[in-house]
Amino acid sequence: MTRSYYSKSVSDFLIEDSDKILGQLIRNHSFAAENLQRNAWIKQIEILKTELIPFKRGTIYFEFSIPRMGKRVDNILLFDDFIFVLEFKIGDSVYQKHAIEQTIDYCLDLQNFHQGSHHEKIVPILIATKAPNIQNKWEVNNQLFDPIFTNQFNLTENINQTLLLSNGTKINANLWENSTYKPTPTIIEASQALYRGHSVSEISRSDSGAINLTKTTDCINLIIEKSKKSQSKSICFLTGVPGAGKTLAGLNIANERRKAHQDENAVFLSGNGPLVYVLREALVRDEVLQAKENGVKLTKKSSTIKANAFIQNIHHFRDDNLISNQAPDEKVVVFDEAQRAWTREKAGSFMKSKGTEFLMSEPEFLIHVMNRHKNYCTIICLIGGGQEINTGEAGLSEWIVALKNNYPNWEIYYSNLITKDNDYIRDESLKKWLNETGNREDDLHLSVSVRSFRSEKISSFVHDVIEGNSNKAKSILSEINNQFPILLTRDFSIAKEWLRKNAKGTERVGIIGSSGGRRLRPLGIDVKNELTAEDWFLNDARDVRSSQYLELVATEFDIQGLEIDYVCLAWDINFYFKNGEWNYQSFEGTKWKWIVNEFNKSYIRNAYRVLMTRARQGLIIFIPHGDLLDQTRPVELYESTYQFLSSCGIKTI
């Protein structure tokens, strides 16, 4: 695949006709080239043809693809052993913060995801054409230089100054350009890119170490088409480890079917309120911004209507179909985190409080609603094993029970992991029935985490920690800690300093904690704080409501299904390790109370499983010392938990 619109040796670029270069850029541009874009390219070509005259070597690329971000960098220059990443801001007289962050983000993307760039020196250069000269500093951290600022007249001297730091080697341009690209976007970035029209193959990894999301998409599309052809009803269960891309796969299916098969009215439904609000707001902000950059007038209100139709809250879908006996407009429905649908008792109690009698579990009712269709329909359930985190969440078993007892005519598709792994179904009779009745499709399980791009073993490490297997956890951590730092600290200020030090560009940091961690409050960590998910995940570091400000704490309910780059997990003693096992308690009134109910224990266990798998690049766990004078914060329980996590191989800073 050609990653750039135009690439040539610098010597060939300098002698090639400018109109010919412009023509190639316009031909390769997938959208109509507006005058603003044409004029920017013309000015860019003019500046580079002047500033690169002293260089008779190297390679130049225009509009080099950055798949994870769904964007293209203006120029990349390969000179000797340097990768120069050039971002032009034509007409700008200042070096704006967002432009600096954008340029650094491009460099980080190359360093993290482009194999040919992993170990090379990368130099971000922001060119604000009308800005004043500035005294740059040539400082480098882990092969990534601090940004260099130039205008249209001093690019040459700044490149030359950088080249003085060359070690004398040269990057092979052909090998570099064609090396493997393994992008792993955040779910926010992925949803924006899909919404813009990118395919899942463009923005997801496709290396042999991960099950290709494209294969999963193809598998589900075949199931839908088979149902359509045979006029039958089908349900598929897509499972996967935390961060494996289940939500991405679901968004991709809903987006593809919505565009190519409008009669199906495909929709993405989630009971995860924060995820719905964050993705909707992210799509709206991005679409309005893209329209503005392309000179198109688009109101936020009209964009919101469109986004709300694509991503909906599952409970609103339920309530809409309670007041009607008609089949819904949607024939293809993706239920995200379907394991969190409510049991009959939970749903009945909630609906009774609203004055409505409700005698089904949510899984049974949702299948009942789709079963109203006279011809075909398909339900896609995205299931996370061991991720039920709240009282009344039914898990996968309730879906199987509903199908077994009420809908024998439905075709069921699943992977063998469902019947092998007790995290999904514990009832052996249900496993047996499913094996005898359903259709096994191995592509319906995503076994490798792609959230944490630095390591694919994080979920295994977390599993062993939660299971209390310190030796196994330590063995796994010894393999991954150089790629994905996991650290301990007893000092909250050190944790925050570590977050700020590691994040670059627009990489996000944040503090998270269990909703049951009530005795972190004396330390300024209040898990009962009220945060707005859209602000916490999307706003920048200047906003006190943003995760970046390191004030508001997100709980498992706020962050499940989402992720940020660097995380501080504040650990309280609602889940503490002592006498060789995990112990469970809840804080009620003025004291801790033992938890004996096994379901309630599993919710706490799963909460910490969720919290430990939210980081993409690094995790630091803060465990307080406790307080000898405060009976609600016993020193020995914090200490025993700290000692266990240390025995798992986690180093303390």
Side-chain angles (χ1 to χ4, degrees):
M1 182 182 72
T2 303
R3 291 205 172 102
S4 61
Y5 286 178
Y6 172 95
S7 64
K8 284 284 175 72
S9 68
V10 171
S11 56
D12 286 345
F13 163 74
L14 290 172
I15 62 174
E16 188 160 14
D17 182 77
S18 295
D19 287 341
K20 187 176 179 182
I21 298 170
L22 178 63
Q24 187 169 334
L25 293 173
I26 292 171
R27 281 194 301 275
N28 286 321
H29 194 49
S30 54
F31 306 99
E34 303 290 337
N35 284 337
L36 193 65
Q37 178 64 77
R38 288 171 60 97
N39 292 338
W41 279 332
I42 290 168
K43 186 65 176 175
Q44 201 175 319
I45 294 166
E46 175 190 316
I47 292 169
L48 289 170
K49 275 185 171 285
T50 301
E51 291 296 297
L52 297 183
I53 286 174
F55 305 102
K56 303 302 180 187
R57 64 192 189 280
T59 306
I60 186 169
Y61 300 87
F62 277 74
E63 301 294 330
F64 190 88
S65 175
I66 304 292
R68 180 183 69 91
M69 299 168 67
K71 295 182 179 179
R72 291 179 176 273
V73 65
D74 287 340
N75 294 98
I76 288 180
L77 291 169
L78 298 185
F79 282 149
D80 300 341
D81 51 332
F82 288 92
I83 301 167
F84 292 94
V85 175
L86 276 56
E87 180 64 18
F88 278 85
K89 296 301 175 186
I90 305 297
D92 278 13
S93 57
V94 294
Y95 303 103
Q96 297 189 51
K97 185 174 185 292
H98 75 87
I100 298 167
E101 291 176 341
Q102 180 184 12
T103 313
I104 295 171
D105 284 348
Y106 288 147
C107 295
L108 289 169
D109 195 275
L110 289 171
Q111 187 174 67
N112 291 329
F113 308 119
H114 184 240
Q115 192 173 41
S117 303
H118 285 341
H119 307 294
E120 304 294 350
K121 295 189 281 290
I122 304 177
V123 186
I125 299 183
L126 175 60
I127 305 162
T129 56
K130 295 184 178 180
N133 287 2
I134 194 169
Q135 185 61 49
N136 289 299
K137 295 179 181 179
W138 277 263
E139 296 182 0
V140 60
N141 180 26
N142 190 30
Q143 298 287 75
L144 176 61
F145 280 68
D146 282 356
I148 304 296
F149 305 102
T150 82
N151 53 43
Q152 69 184 79
F153 302 113
N154 65 347
L155 177 60
T156 304
E157 62 186 77
N158 280 287
I159 291 176
N160 270 325
Q161 185 68 33
T162 310
L163 292 174
L164 293 176
L165 302 174
S166 172
N167 62 17
T169 62
K170 293 186 185 300
I171 297 171
N172 183 309
N174 187 54
L175 291 178
W176 179 85
E177 181 181 353
N178 292 293
S179 64
T180 306
Y181 206 108
K182 302 177 182 178
T184 56
T186 68
I187 195 60
I188 293 170
E189 292 167 338
S191 63
Q192 290 172 331
L194 290 172
Y195 208 57
R196 286 187 219 124
H198 293 269
S199 69
V200 73
S201 61
E202 289 180 289
I203 61 170
S204 64
R205 296 174 55 165
S206 57
D207 54 302
S208 59
I211 293 179
N212 195 319
L213 284 169
T214 304
K215 287 175 66 180
T216 299
T217 300
D218 291 344
C219 176
I220 294 174
N221 275 325
L222 285 172
I223 291 168
I224 297 171
E225 292 302 326
K226 183 178 178 182
S227 292
K228 207 168 184 177
K229 186 175 181 180
S230 62
Q231 294 293 285
S232 60
K233 301 179 176 85
S234 57
I235 185 168
C236 26
F237 297 102
L238 174 58
T239 56
V241 300
K246 298 181 294 295
T247 302
L248 171 57
L251 282 166
N252 185 50
I253 285 288
N255 192 52
E256 274 192 6
R257 304 300 301 191
R258 195 170 186 84
K259 288 181 177 178
H261 307 273
Q262 293 183 5
D263 59 310
E264 294 173 358
N265 290 309
V267 66
F268 181 89
L269 299 174
S270 178
N272 182 344
L275 179 73
V276 170
Y277 302 139
V278 169
L279 292 186
R280 279 180 177 173
E281 180 67 15
L283 295 182
V284 170
R285 289 188 189 186
D286 187 62
E287 188 173 46
V288 170
L289 179 62
Q290 294 291 319
K292 183 179 179 182
E293 289 179 352
N294 291 319
V296 177
K297 188 176 181 180
L298 177 66
T299 65
K300 188 171 181 180
K301 183 177 180 180
S302 61
S303 181
T304 299
I305 293 169
K306 180 182 167 187
N308 288 357
F310 174 48
I311 298 175
Q312 296 181 30
N313 189 298
I314 194 171
H315 301 308
H316 296 167
F317 180 85
R318 175 201 63 201
D319 294 348
D320 286 345
N321 285 286
L322 266 173
I323 59 177
S324 169
N325 290 318
Q326 300 297 313
D329 291 335
E330 299 85 358
K331 290 190 174 182
V332 174
V333 176
V334 179
F335 290 135
D336 186 41
E337 293 182 10
Q339 79 279 358
R340 295 184 66 184
W342 288 349
T343 61
R344 178 174 177 172
E345 292 75 19
K346 171 74 173 178
S349 173
F350 177 79
M351 297 306 290
K352 187 176 181 180
S353 70
K354 296 176 70 174
T356 302
E357 187 177 27
F358 195 83
L359 302 176
M360 301 184 208
S361 68
E362 270 195 329
E364 183 181 350
F365 179 71
L366 295 168
I367 299 171
H368 164 76
V369 167
M370 295 302 289
N371 196 56
R372 295 172 184 171
H373 285 291
K374 300 299 183 186
N375 40 37
Y376 77 96
C377 66
T378 299
I379 295 173
I380 300 109
C381 291
L382 312 181
I383 304 284
Q387 292 192 54
E388 302 84 9
I389 60 174
N390 206 352
T391 304
E393 291 180 355
L396 173 57
S397 297
E398 197 68 46
W399 290 89
I400 306 302
V401 168
L403 290 162
K404 179 184 177 183
N405 293 344
N406 302 291
Y407 302 101
N409 60 318
W410 279 60
E411 290 290 329
I412 306 170
Y413 298 87
Y414 66 99
S415 83
N416 69 329
L417 262 292
I418 280 179
T419 52
K420 276 187 175 182
D421 192 335
N422 284 338
D423 278 344
Y424 295 104
I425 302 175
R426 293 184 180 271
D427 189 316
E428 293 299 325
S429 65
L430 284 182
K431 291 181 184 179
K432 185 173 184 291
W433 179 83
L434 189 58
N435 280 328
E436 292 172 351
T437 309
N439 304 282
R440 201 178 105 179
E441 292 284 352
D442 289 344
D443 284 340
L444 291 177
H445 180 75
L446 300 168
S447 61
V448 178
S449 174
V450 293
R451 171 186 296 126
S452 178
F453 61 83
R454 294 191 184 278
S455 174
E456 295 163 351
K457 296 184 178 179
I458 301 301
S459 58
S460 297
F461 169 75
V462 170
H463 175 80
D464 286 323
V465 170
I466 299 297
E467 292 297 315
N469 297 325
S470 60
N471 289 334
K472 286 185 178 179
K474 186 174 183 179
S475 176
I476 295 172
L477 190 59
S478 67
E479 299 176 35
I480 64 178
N481 225 347
N482 289 333
Q483 302 169 299
F484 184 99
I486 300 178
L487 298 167
L488 274 170
T489 187
R490 312 301 298 274
D491 187 326
F492 189 40
S493 63
I494 287 177
K496 291 194 284 187
E497 182 185 349
W498 184 84
L499 293 177
R500 293 187 176 111
K501 179 182 175 183
N502 279 278
K504 301 179 182 70
T506 57
E507 290 175 336
R508 291 200 82 83
V509 299
I511 303 163
I512 64 176
S514 164
S515 59
R518 302 292 178 83
R519 296 312 295 146
L520 297 168
R521 189 168 58 182
L523 303 166
I525 304 170
D526 186 3
V527 297
K528 292 286 285 181
N529 59 197
E530 291 187 9
L531 62 81
T532 302
E534 305 96 298
D535 296 328
W536 198 84
F537 282 99
L538 300 176
N539 293 4
D540 65 29
R542 293 166 293 184
D543 192 322
V544 297
R545 300 167 297 176
S546 164
S547 72
Q548 308 280 58
Y549 216 80
L550 299 181
E551 278 193 5
L552 294 177
V553 184
T555 70
E556 66 272 24
F557 302 115
D558 301 309
I559 202 169
Q560 188 179 35
L562 294 157
E563 67 272 304
I564 58 177
D565 292 290
Y566 293 95
V567 165
C568 169
L569 168 54
W571 200 296
D572 205 359
I573 52 172
N574 60 323
F575 187 52
Y576 69 91
F577 200 86
K578 189 176 181 182
N579 298 328
E581 64 180 2
W582 287 107
N583 297 266
Y584 309 80
Q585 54 184 357
S586 62
F587 193 76
E588 298 179 13
T590 61
K591 60 184 178 180
W592 290 102
K593 181 179 178 182
W594 282 92
I595 292 175
V596 294
N597 181 281
E598 288 302 320
F599 280 108
N600 291 338
K601 286 182 179 180
S602 73
Y603 294 137
I604 294 178
R605 197 163 53 240
N606 291 339
Y608 276 87
R609 189 195 313 274
V610 166
L611 293 167
M612 289 188 75
T613 54
R614 294 306 97 189
R616 284 166 54 80
Q617 300 198 54
L619 168 68
I620 187 165
I621 299 171
F622 165 58
I623 299 183
H625 286 288
D627 188 338
L628 290 170
L629 301 178
D630 185 347
Q631 63 180 1
T632 68
R633 295 189 288 144
V635 170
E636 66 272 18
L637 299 190
Y638 290 104
E639 181 65 24
S640 61
T641 304
Y642 165 72
Q643 291 298 337
F644 171 72
L645 292 176
S646 293
S647 74
C648 293
I650 309 178
K651 295 179 180 177
T652 298
I653 61 169

Coordinates of all heavy atoms in Angstrom, one line a residue, residues 438-481:
G438 N -25.6 -24.9 19.2 CA -25.0 -23.7 18.5 C -24.1 -24.0 17.4 O -23.8 -25.2 17.1
N439 N -23.6 -23.0 16.7 CA -22.6 -23.1 15.7 C -21.3 -22.5 16.1 O -21.3 -21.3 16.4 CB -23.1 -22.4 14.4 CG -24.5 -22.8 14.0 OD1 -24.6 -23.9 13.4 ND2 -25.5 -22.1 14.3
R440 N -20.2 -23.2 16.1 CA -19.0 -22.7 16.6 C -18.2 -22.0 15.5 O -18.1 -22.5 14.4 CB -18.1 -23.9 17.1 CG -17.0 -23.4 18.0 CD -16.2 -24.6 18.6 NE -14.9 -24.6 17.9 CZ -14.0 -25.5 18.1 NH1 -14.2 -26.5 19.0 NH2 -12.8 -25.4 17.5
E441 N -17.8 -20.8 15.8 CA -17.0 -19.9 14.9 C -15.9 -19.4 15.7 O -16.0 -18.4 16.5 CB -17.9 -18.8 14.3 CG -19.0 -19.2 13.4 CD -18.5 -19.6 12.0 OE1 -17.3 -19.4 11.7 OE2 -19.3 -20.1 11.2
D442 N -14.7 -19.9 15.4 CA -13.5 -19.5 16.2 C -13.1 -18.0 16.0 O -12.5 -17.4 16.9 CB -12.3 -20.4 15.9 CG -12.5 -21.8 16.4 OD1 -13.4 -21.9 17.3 OD2 -11.8 -22.7 16.0
D443 N -13.5 -17.4 14.9 CA -13.2 -16.0 14.6 C -14.0 -15.1 15.5 O -13.9 -13.8 15.4 CB -13.4 -15.7 13.1 CG -12.3 -16.2 12.3 OD1 -11.2 -16.5 12.8 OD2 -12.5 -16.3 11.1
L444 N -14.9 -15.6 16.3 CA -15.8 -14.8 17.2 C -15.1 -14.6 18.6 O -15.8 -14.2 19.5 CB -17.2 -15.4 17.3 CG -18.0 -15.3 16.1 CD1 -19.4 -16.0 16.3 CD2 -18.2 -13.9 15.6
H445 N -13.8 -14.9 18.7 CA -13.1 -14.6 19.9 C -11.8 -13.9 19.6 O -11.1 -14.3 18.7 CB -12.8 -15.9 20.7 CG -12.0 -15.6 22.0 ND1 -12.6 -15.1 23.1 CD2 -10.7 -15.7 22.3 CE1 -11.7 -14.9 24.0 NE2 -10.5 -15.3 23.6
L446 N -11.6 -12.8 20.3 CA -10.4 -12.0 20.1 C -9.5 -12.2 21.3 O -9.8 -11.8 22.4 CB -10.8 -10.5 20.0 CG -11.7 -10.1 18.8 CD1 -12.2 -8.7 19.0 CD2 -11.0 -10.3 17.5
S447 N -8.4 -12.9 21.1 CA -7.6 -13.4 22.2 C -6.5 -12.6 22.6 O -5.8 -12.9 23.6 CB -7.1 -14.8 21.8 OG -6.2 -14.7 20.7
V448 N -6.2 -11.5 21.9 CA -5.0 -10.7 22.2 C -5.4 -9.3 22.4 O -6.1 -8.7 21.7 CB -4.0 -10.8 21.0 CG1 -2.8 -9.9 21.3 CG2 -3.6 -12.2 20.8
S449 N -4.9 -8.7 23.5 CA -5.2 -7.3 23.8 C -4.4 -6.4 22.9 O -3.2 -6.6 22.7 CB -4.7 -7.0 25.3 OG -4.9 -5.6 25.5
V450 N -5.1 -5.5 22.3 CA -4.5 -4.5 21.4 C -4.6 -3.1 22.0 O -4.1 -2.1 21.5 CB -5.1 -4.5 20.0 CG1 -4.7 -5.7 19.3 CG2 -6.6 -4.2 20.0
R451 N -5.3 -3.0 23.2 CA -5.3 -1.7 23.8 C -3.9 -1.3 24.3 O -3.4 -0.2 24.1 CB -6.3 -1.8 25.1 CG -6.2 -0.5 25.9 CD -7.0 -0.6 27.2 NE -8.4 -0.7 26.9 CZ -9.2 -1.7 27.4 NH1 -8.7 -2.7 28.1 NH2 -10.4 -1.7 27.0
S452 N -3.3 -2.3 24.9 CA -2.0 -2.1 25.5 C -1.0 -2.5 24.4 O -0.5 -3.6 24.4 CB -1.8 -2.9 26.7 OG -0.6 -2.8 27.3
F453 N -0.6 -1.5 23.5 CA 0.2 -1.9 22.3 C 1.6 -2.3 22.7 O 2.3 -2.9 21.9 CB 0.2 -0.8 21.3 CG 0.7 0.5 21.8 CD1 2.1 0.8 21.8 CD2 -0.1 1.5 22.3 CE1 2.6 2.0 22.2 CE2 0.4 2.7 22.7 CZ 1.8 2.9 22.7
R454 N 2.0 -1.9 23.9 CA 3.4 -2.2 24.3 C 3.5 -3.6 24.7 O 4.6 -4.2 24.8 CB 3.9 -1.2 25.4 CG 4.0 0.2 24.9 CD 4.7 1.0 25.9 NE 4.8 2.4 25.5 CZ 5.7 2.9 24.7 NH1 6.6 2.2 24.1 NH2 5.6 4.2 24.4
S455 N 2.5 -4.3 25.1 CA 2.5 -5.7 25.5 C 1.2 -6.3 25.3 O 0.2 -5.7 25.5 CB 3.0 -5.8 26.9 OG 2.9 -7.1 27.3
E456 N 1.2 -7.6 24.9 CA 0.0 -8.3 24.7 C -0.3 -9.3 25.8 O -1.1 -10.2 25.7 CB 0.1 -9.1 23.3 CG 0.1 -8.1 22.1 CD 0.6 -8.8 20.9 OE1 1.0 -9.9 20.9 OE2 0.5 -8.1 19.8
K457 N 0.5 -9.1 26.9 CA 0.3 -10.1 28.0 C -0.2 -9.4 29.3 O -0.2 -10.0 30.3 CB 1.7 -10.7 28.3 CG 2.2 -11.6 27.2 CD 3.5 -12.3 27.5 CE 4.0 -13.2 26.4 NZ 5.2 -13.9 26.7
I458 N -0.6 -8.2 29.1 CA -1.1 -7.4 30.3 C -2.3 -8.2 30.9 O -2.4 -8.3 32.1 CB -1.5 -6.0 30.0 CG1 -0.3 -5.3 29.4 CG2 -2.0 -5.3 31.2 CD1 0.9 -5.2 30.3
S459 N -3.3 -8.6 30.1 CA -4.5 -9.2 30.6 C -4.1 -10.5 31.4 O -4.8 -10.8 32.4 CB -5.5 -9.5 29.5 OG -4.9 -10.3 28.5
S460 N -3.1 -11.3 30.9 CA -2.7 -12.5 31.6 C -2.1 -12.1 33.0 O -2.4 -12.8 34.0 CB -1.7 -13.3 30.8 OG -2.3 -13.7 29.6
F461 N -1.3 -11.1 33.0 CA -0.7 -10.6 34.2 C -1.8 -10.2 35.2 O -1.8 -10.7 36.4 CB 0.2 -9.5 34.0 CG 0.7 -8.8 35.2 CD1 1.7 -9.3 36.0 CD2 0.2 -7.5 35.6 CE1 2.1 -8.7 37.2 CE2 0.6 -6.9 36.7 CZ 1.5 -7.5 37.6
V462 N -2.7 -9.4 34.8 CA -3.8 -9.0 35.7 C -4.6 -10.2 36.2 O -5.0 -10.2 37.4 CB -4.7 -8.0 34.9 CG1 -6.0 -7.6 35.7 CG2 -3.9 -6.7 34.6
H463 N -4.9 -11.1 35.3 CA -5.7 -12.3 35.7 C -5.0 -13.0 36.9 O -5.6 -13.4 37.8 CB -5.8 -13.3 34.5 CG -6.5 -14.6 34.9 ND1 -7.8 -14.7 35.0 CD2 -5.9 -15.8 35.1 CE1 -8.1 -15.9 35.3 NE2 -7.0 -16.6 35.4
D464 N -3.7 -13.2 36.8 CA -2.9 -13.9 37.8 C -2.9 -13.1 39.1 O -2.9 -13.6 40.2 CB -1.5 -14.3 37.4 CG -1.5 -15.4 36.4 OD1 -2.4 -16.3 36.6 OD2 -0.7 -15.4 35.4
V465 N -2.8 -11.8 39.0 CA -2.8 -10.9 40.2 C -4.2 -11.1 40.9 O -4.2 -11.3 42.1 CB -2.6 -9.4 39.8 CG1 -2.9 -8.5 41.1 CG2 -1.1 -9.2 39.4
I466 N -5.2 -11.0 40.1 CA -6.6 -11.1 40.7 C -6.8 -12.5 41.3 O -7.5 -12.6 42.3 CB -7.7 -10.8 39.6 CG1 -7.5 -9.3 39.1 CG2 -9.1 -11.0 40.2 CD1 -7.7 -8.2 40.1
E467 N -6.2 -13.5 40.7 CA -6.3 -14.8 41.2 C -5.4 -15.1 42.4 O -5.5 -16.2 43.0 CB -6.1 -15.9 40.1 CG -7.1 -15.9 39.0 CD -8.5 -16.3 39.5 OE1 -8.6 -17.3 40.3 OE2 -9.5 -15.6 39.2
G468 N -4.5 -14.2 42.7 CA -3.6 -14.4 43.8 C -2.4 -15.2 43.5 O -1.7 -15.7 44.4
N469 N -2.1 -15.4 42.2 CA -0.9 -16.2 41.8 C 0.3 -15.3 41.6 O 0.6 -14.9 40.5 CB -1.3 -16.9 40.5 CG -2.4 -17.9 40.6 OD1 -2.6 -18.5 41.7 ND2 -3.2 -18.0 39.6
S470 N 1.0 -15.0 42.7 CA 2.1 -14.1 42.6 C 3.2 -14.6 41.7 O 3.9 -13.8 41.0 CB 2.6 -13.7 44.0 OG 3.0 -14.8 44.7
N471 N 3.5 -15.9 41.8 CA 4.7 -16.4 41.1 C 4.4 -16.4 39.6 O 5.3 -16.0 38.8 CB 4.9 -17.9 41.5 CG 5.6 -18.0 42.9 OD1 6.2 -17.0 43.3 ND2 5.4 -19.1 43.5
K472 N 3.2 -16.7 39.2 CA 2.8 -16.6 37.7 C 2.9 -15.2 37.3 O 3.3 -14.9 36.2 CB 1.5 -17.2 37.5 CG 1.4 -18.8 37.5 CD 0.0 -19.3 37.2 CE 0.0 -20.8 37.2 NZ -1.4 -21.3 36.8
A473 N 2.3 -14.3 38.1 CA 2.3 -12.9 37.7 C 3.7 -12.3 37.6 O 4.0 -11.6 36.6 CB 1.5 -12.1 38.8
K474 N 4.6 -12.7 38.5 CA 5.9 -12.2 38.5 C 6.6 -12.7 37.2 O 7.4 -11.9 36.6 CB 6.7 -12.7 39.7 CG 8.1 -12.1 39.8 CD 8.7 -12.5 41.2 CE 10.1 -11.9 41.3 NZ 10.7 -12.3 42.6
S475 N 6.4 -13.9 36.8 CA 7.0 -14.5 35.6 C 6.6 -13.7 34.4 O 7.4 -13.4 33.5 CB 6.6 -16.0 35.5 OG 7.1 -16.5 34.3
I476 N 5.3 -13.4 34.3 CA 4.8 -12.6 33.1 C 5.4 -11.2 33.1 O 5.8 -10.7 32.1 CB 3.2 -12.6 33.1 CG1 2.7 -14.0 32.9 CG2 2.7 -11.7 32.0 CD1 1.2 -14.1 33.1
L477 N 5.4 -10.6 34.3 CA 5.8 -9.2 34.4 C 7.3 -9.1 34.0 O 7.7 -8.1 33.4 CB 5.6 -8.7 35.8 CG 5.8 -7.2 36.0 CD1 4.8 -6.4 35.1 CD2 5.6 -6.8 37.4
S478 N 8.1 -10.1 34.3 CA 9.5 -10.0 33.9 C 9.7 -10.0 32.4 O 10.7 -9.5 31.9 CB 10.2 -11.3 34.5 OG 9.8 -12.5 33.8
E479 N 8.7 -10.4 31.7 CA 8.8 -10.4 30.2 C 8.3 -9.1 29.6 O 8.7 -8.7 28.5 CB 7.9 -11.5 29.6 CG 8.3 -12.9 30.0 CD 7.4 -14.0 29.4 OE1 6.9 -13.7 28.3 OE2 7.1 -15.0 30.1
I480 N 7.5 -8.4 30.4 CA 6.8 -7.2 29.8 C 7.2 -5.8 30.4 O 6.9 -4.8 29.8 CB 5.2 -7.3 29.9 CG1 4.8 -7.3 31.3 CG2 4.8 -8.6 29.2 CD1 3.3 -7.4 31.5
N481 N 7.9 -5.8 31.5 CA 8.0 -4.5 32.2 C 8.9 -3.5 31.4 O 8.8 -2.3 31.6 CB 8.6 -4.8 33.6 CG 7.9 -3.9 34.6 OD1 7.1 -3.0 34.3 ND2 8.1 -4.2 35.9

